[in-house]
Amino acid sequence: MLYFARKNLIASAAMALAMCLGSAVAPLAQAADLKIGLAADVSSLDPHYLNIAPNISFASHLFDALVHVDANGRLIPGLATSWKAIDATTWEFKLRRGVKFHDGSELTADDVIFSLDRPATLTNSPGPFTSYTKQIVAKQAVDAYTVRLKTSKPYGPLPLDVSSIFIISKKAAQHASTDDFNSGKALIGTGPFKFLSFKRGDNIVVTRNDNYWGEKAAWDKVTFRIITSGAPRVAALLAGDVDAIDSVPPADIPRLKTNAKFKLEQKISWRTLFWELDQQNRPSPYITDKAGKPLASNPLKDVRVRQAISKAINRKALTERTLEGLAVPASNIVAPGILGYNDSLAVEAYDPEGAKKLLNEAGYPNGFALTLHGPNNRYINDEQVVQTIAQFLSKVGIQAKVETLPLAAYFPKAGKSEFSVALLGWGTLATDFGLRTLTGTPNAATGWGSWNWGKYSNPALDELVQSSLSSVDDAKREELAKKAAALALKDYALIPLYHQYASWALRKGLKYSARTDEFTFAHQFKPE
């Protein structure tokens, strides 16, 4: 429900004035608040600290990027009104004039350059943004409203990269730490809302930025309630404690569809769920023989073992039953429609006998034991997904245990490669982007492999991905990206599982356009 705060004194004064003048006045507009129940916790308010969707989604309320992405994944102007390639290694961005930060200071090219430099300074980030900035070797403020970015090699997709980097105030953040952002001290952006309060793990409150350069939000104040459990989130919606929720639990979708007081918005998202596999030359930390003795070598280094794990998974049953129809089996690491999606790749057929044969060929006729790790509060039915796959693996001789953790505990451990097999969901608008981050040989200097938990490395794949990213010819880039996807999946660098649906439930009287990136933007909720 909407919460209206009547401005009694103003309204009374207006009515009195109207009576005195003997004329009628239009009803005074009432202030409106919005409350949204979020499924995922926001772990940091620093827009450059941790590159995960919940943090990025929230940061979009306070900050803008040079380039925005619309609900269908298309690039549109943000703080930059236009961009163009001056040559194969130089991009020019023209900034909007007159854009103000929340403190009233004006956005200039200096703020842009400062913001693009900052991710590299956050050396303690568990999930850095540097993969989006490392290819930039020089930055130039041509004037206060023109920025030129130079890359060391031809690089076509730079505008998509910078769509992931939020622009912050150099004046407010030059000496600020991540703690200063989390306290609100440094939260000075150009976004549609201003920061009001943050109670970690509970709620975040923002107020409308009436000086926003774009379309003003319909809401005076927005409260984001962090409700990571599905049942309480739906209960809050049904009780009117929140006006909308994201990540609707599958079990509740049928009854919400038939309840006239609510409506659903759904879309196949860009998010692909897959297994990250430890592929380091070491005894893997959570792999043993069936008696519990650590193995001397890592079986996941063998492509036959990785393929056997893939063949052991019944993706059709997983998506139809465990995920209750809110996902489709995946053959790629990106969803259909994304640049570089390779139609020639087929979903891995469920073949438990083939899996057993591969394990035998790899020297594990009796299988082995491992622990599957995953979050329990991030993706649709994520804990049940891990449990289901453990059952599939047990049928081919892999004795699988399950350990799931809250996202805040899971990501830091996974990011340090502490697990043997770990569940990750990733969304991107281009295959080569995803491969660079997820399967690229880890390199702190270039930002490649920043989410490559398994430390997979394939120089041939790196070369293909680099060629794709370097192309300024869209058709050639698409062709190279498809080849790279085929190579990565033939080598089972990752094991794709499914593409999930994104779902929102809203009370009657609200509207929201479902987004392929799954982001929940308060400024895009509107009254009907």
Side-chain angles (χ1 to χ4, degrees), residues 394-474:
S394 69
K395 294 178 181 179
V396 301
I398 298 176
Q399 183 178 298
K401 295 189 296 184
V402 168
E403 183 177 344
T404 60
L405 301 168
L407 189 68
Y410 177 71
F411 269 170
K413 289 177 176 292
K416 295 176 183 176
S417 301
E418 293 185 13
F419 304 140
S420 296
V421 182
L423 185 70
L424 178 62
W426 193 264
T428 181
L429 295 175
T431 295
D432 47 12
F433 275 25
L435 290 172
R436 177 182 66 184
T437 302
L438 299 166
T439 67
T441 299
N443 185 325
T446 63
W448 280 54
S450 56
W451 283 76
N452 183 351
W453 293 343
K455 307 305 180 187
Y456 171 83
S457 178
N458 184 336
L461 178 59
D462 289 346
E463 185 177 348
L464 259 179
V465 173
Q466 183 61 62
S467 296
S468 178
L469 292 169
S470 298
S471 177
V472 294
D473 181 308
D474 289 343

Side-chain angles (χ1 to χ4, degrees), residues 92-112:
E92 182 177 271
F93 294 81
K94 289 290 187 181
L95 304 184
R96 293 182 186 277
R97 293 174 180 265
V99 174
K100 302 289 186 181
F101 283 103
H102 298 156
D103 62 1
S105 60
E106 187 173 5
L107 169 79
T108 70
D110 286 342
D111 299 299
V112 173

Side-chain angles (χ1 to χ4, degrees), residues 485-499:
L487 177 57
L489 296 175
K490 181 180 179 181
D491 203 26
Y492 293 88
L494 304 165
I495 297 179
L497 299 172
Y498 55 87
H499 311 297

Side-chain angles (χ1 to χ4, degrees), residues 118-148:
R118 187 170 179 267
T121 70
L122 302 180
T123 55
N124 63 335
S125 169
F129 285 83
T130 49
S131 61
Y132 304 123
T133 59
K134 284 289 188 181
Q135 66 279 354
I136 304 171
V137 296
K139 309 172 187 72
Q140 177 190 7
V142 178
D143 56 46
Y145 306 104
T146 307
V147 176
R148 285 186 180 173

Side-chain angles (χ1 to χ4, degrees), residues 351-372:
D351 183 6
E353 292 306 314
K356 292 176 184 177
K357 182 179 178 181
L358 285 164
L359 289 173
N360 184 60
E361 292 174 359
Y364 302 97
N366 299 315
F368 50 85
L370 61 74
T371 300
L372 301 177

Side-chain angles (χ1 to χ4, degrees), residues 224-271:
F224 298 92
R225 289 188 54 194
I226 311 300
I227 313 175
T228 57
S229 296
R233 195 164 60 254
V234 173
L237 177 70
L238 295 174
D241 295 333
V242 297
D243 304 303
I245 62 173
D246 60 12
S247 299
V248 184
D252 293 292
I253 285 179
R255 65 168 171 158
L256 287 170
K257 280 184 175 179
T258 59
N259 190 327
K261 295 181 180 179
F262 303 97
K263 64 179 181 178
L264 288 168
E265 298 292 347
Q266 294 180 294
K267 195 168 195 172
I268 292 181
S269 83
W270 64 349
R271 186 181 308 280

